[in-house]
Amino acid sequence: MMAEKERMLDDQWKKWGPYVSNRQWGTVREDYSTNGNAWDYTNYHGAISRAYRWNEDGIAGICDSKQRLCFAFSFWNRRDQIIKERFFGLSNHEGNHGEDIKEIFYYLDNTPTHSYMKMVYKYPINEFPYEQLVNENAARTKKEGEFELTDTGIFENNAYFDIFIEYAKINHDDFLIRVTAVNRSSTKAPLVILPTVWYRNNWTWGYGAYEPQLKSSFNGVIDIDHNTICMKKFYARDTSAETLFCNNETNSEKIFGTPSEAKFFKDGINNYLIHGTEDAVNPEKSGTKASFFIDAELEPGESRSFDFRLSPHEMDDAFFDFDEIVALRKQEAEDFYADIQCDLADEEEKNIQRQAFAGLLWNKQFYYYNVSKWLKGDPRQEAPRDFSRHVRNTEWEHMQNKDIISMPDKWEYPWFATWDLAFHCVPFALLDPGFAKHQLKLLTKEWYIHPNGQLPAYEWDFSDVNPPVHAWSTFRVFKIDEKANGKPDLPFLESVFQKLLLNFTWWVNRKDKNGNNVFGGGFLGLDNIGAFDRNMEFKNGDHLEQADGTSWMAMFALNMMRISMELALYNPVYEDMAIKFFEHYLYIAEAMENIGGAKGGLWNEEDGFFYDVLQLNDGDSVSLKLRSIVGLIPMFAVEIIDHEILEQLPNFTSRMQWILKNKPELANLVSHWEVEGAGGKHLMSILRKTRLKRVLERMVDEKEFLSDYGIRSMSKIYEDEPYQFTVDGQEFSVKYTPAESDSRMFGGNSNWRGPIWFPINFLIVESLQRFHYYYGDRMQVEFPTNSGEMRNLEYVADNLSSRLCSIFMKDENGERAFNGGNRMMNHDEHFKDYIMFNEYFNGDTGMGIGASHQTGWTATVAKLLKPRVS
């Protein structure tokens, strides 16, 4: 067995990893304000002086799985007015399109046990343009693009350092650390490197007095003294390196204007270097935060490496086998990925996939949030909540998170989001099925899932509603794991299924407004794509019946049915559950058809598309004829059942036949499951063949949804002719915008009005593949619409997949679409092969927008790149 796969069998190898966030300021957890304004209570410039309550942040940070001891890098170009301890970005209120990181770094490599990790940070040689970035973005409107770091001219004449950061584990708790700085400019330039260790502050809040210590007794060594961790020494190869000590304590005078009994604060090293404040660091060389001070000057083009080691061992020469071990771990990483990518021949595809995997692994984070303590405050930290006004997460006092979780983006979204995580787990299953299964089980644990069955949405509002994709992800991961390991992990599947029963019941009880199997959802993860806020209260009892909320539930029902059938093959008790979810699926189909009685349902026969419906209190209804990705979601409610499975489930098959005979009005609403497809397959889908063809006709029309880079989230026809709708005397208008939203409707959450989003596109590709698995060449569509070319659905799925992958691939001019035409990033030898995985992409150009390191759901490109076995 190859070395990395052998390490994956030992959980100890994951006890330490890249679990430090890129941003902790501006999070709900750190918000102890009276008005709930999290972005203002902690901000970037205050973060250097404030001890965090719940989590730590840093550059390329690592820590143990309980985040007791942290390590990260800080840098200083001797021109900035603050040392670079964490990546800079704008708060939600500062950016013209919301929060936005203003740094350039790339995740290059990582392994599942973090035995080898590598990233690169582009640090400017000249003074970082903090004020320019803030002021320029503040001056821009929602209709203008964001002002980025590359727009400031800071990288002209290659005036930057490439800072490569590498980690190689000797053992599960023994790290070799190398930082390699390269001066890309044509002039000599200074660079201060501050490799920093510190303890997360557990002693200030009033629960215990134990305060661990860092000390220095020898040059080049920092002693680590903590009673519950094995790490004992931090070594620098350069034994002449000066050590600087302070404490991970809030500088109360700076932050609150109040004096403090403490003497050395979190910003001590910063104040000593930037302001020359001699007494800001402890001359006795002890504290809870410490750095080696590496003062370098690099010649033009010079590359210089600096080596460090975090270890449980005391030794005279901590670096005797440093180079050999680093080289060995690199080679083992190569061996691991050679196996993972054995079916990929194209080097471009390998590079993109590997960096997607690297981003997934780097975006793991220690996430700590005890909601009850946060709401009430600590013995030594008040929480002046005004419960007469809105206070976040008051219904989630049971939540106690203290886990390693896959984040969407550790700067933009340094908190878990349940539906994001479901997508993360699919590419994770290709790398590390055990971690993928752990993540899916974690969110169904009793300290996460609400007693009423709701899964938590995300930190800003756990009670909000995300699409129910957990069952889909669970079964996908189960099958990927089964294929990889040669046997099914039934305890995993069964344990998640049992909790999802509670979640399904919550949806039925809470999100089915009138008990008629039509489901709303509020936010639903789609950023209010419609004409008005989904949470809007209408006069006279009018309400919105949502095509996507209902379609997601149809998908959920079929996912649960399929899981039940799988479990029933081993335990016949689950056959009854399969029947239950089969019938749920039929009732949802009936409800979608019969909203508004004779007026029609969510399906609009004239347009051949699904629309939301405004249900009026007099029983009438109005179809909101806005063509968006909402109308494509019914495609996701599709399952293909092999005939031999039905033969092993006689009760389920008998019930299907009974419904076909006795309730033909239900059976006729959905695909004809009794008709066997090629190879004895049975199709279960909300969409009958004729409707599927009509939906696809819209979807693959280049004048509507089909872009060169995937499927847009809104029809392009609304670019020149916006959709108009009037209700309660108010007129609403929706326009196609290929990139960011151009308005602050619903708090600015209108970014699904044109861009390409990977999670939905990924589900579209999968759904088309399933339909083809049933229909084969018997179903063909004109692709693209009006082209005269007829193609089967497998071809369409493969073509869409290629369009999505082309966002990252070099085109004939050597340019990658996600770079948005940026010449430096496309053609400079030190940028051109590095990939960013954005949150979403311009519907016309493929340019990356939103979060720049969303190698969470955008890492599904790694799965698309993997060749399918026919």
Side-chain angles (χ1 to χ4, degrees), residues 418-419 454-458 461-468 503 506-507 510-511 519-527 534-535 546 549 552:
T418 298
W419 90 298
Q454 183 179 10
L455 290 176
Y458 42 86
D461 186 358
F462 288 131
S463 293
D464 219 331
V465 184
N466 281 173
N503 184 237
W506 175 84
W507 274 90
R510 295 290 294 274
K511 288 299 176 181
F519 298 87
F523 193 64
L524 259 186
L526 300 184
D527 282 18
R534 290 160 180 259
N535 292 313
Q546 297 174 24
W552 287 120

Side-chain angles (χ1 to χ4, degrees), residues 401-442:
N401 315 145
K402 201 172 186 179
D403 299 285
I404 304 301
I405 308 179
S406 174
M407 298 292 124
D409 177 320
K410 286 201 301 190
W411 193 95
E412 204 98 19
Y413 305 110
W415 29 260
F416 74 87
T418 298
W419 90 298
D420 294 58
L421 187 60
F423 289 99
H424 304 187
C425 288
V426 173
F428 250 125
L430 302 177
L431 277 180
D432 187 352
F435 182 77
K437 290 185 291 184
H438 170 267
Q439 295 288 280
L440 290 166
K441 289 174 67 175
L442 184 64

Side-chain angles (χ1 to χ4, degrees), residues 562 565 640-647 679-682 773:
R562 183 65 186 87
M565 295 174 78
I640 312 299
I641 311 299
D642 290 328
H643 190 72
E644 56 264 30
I645 292 180
L646 292 180
E647 289 180 330
K681 303 177 185 71
H682 296 264
Y773 187 61

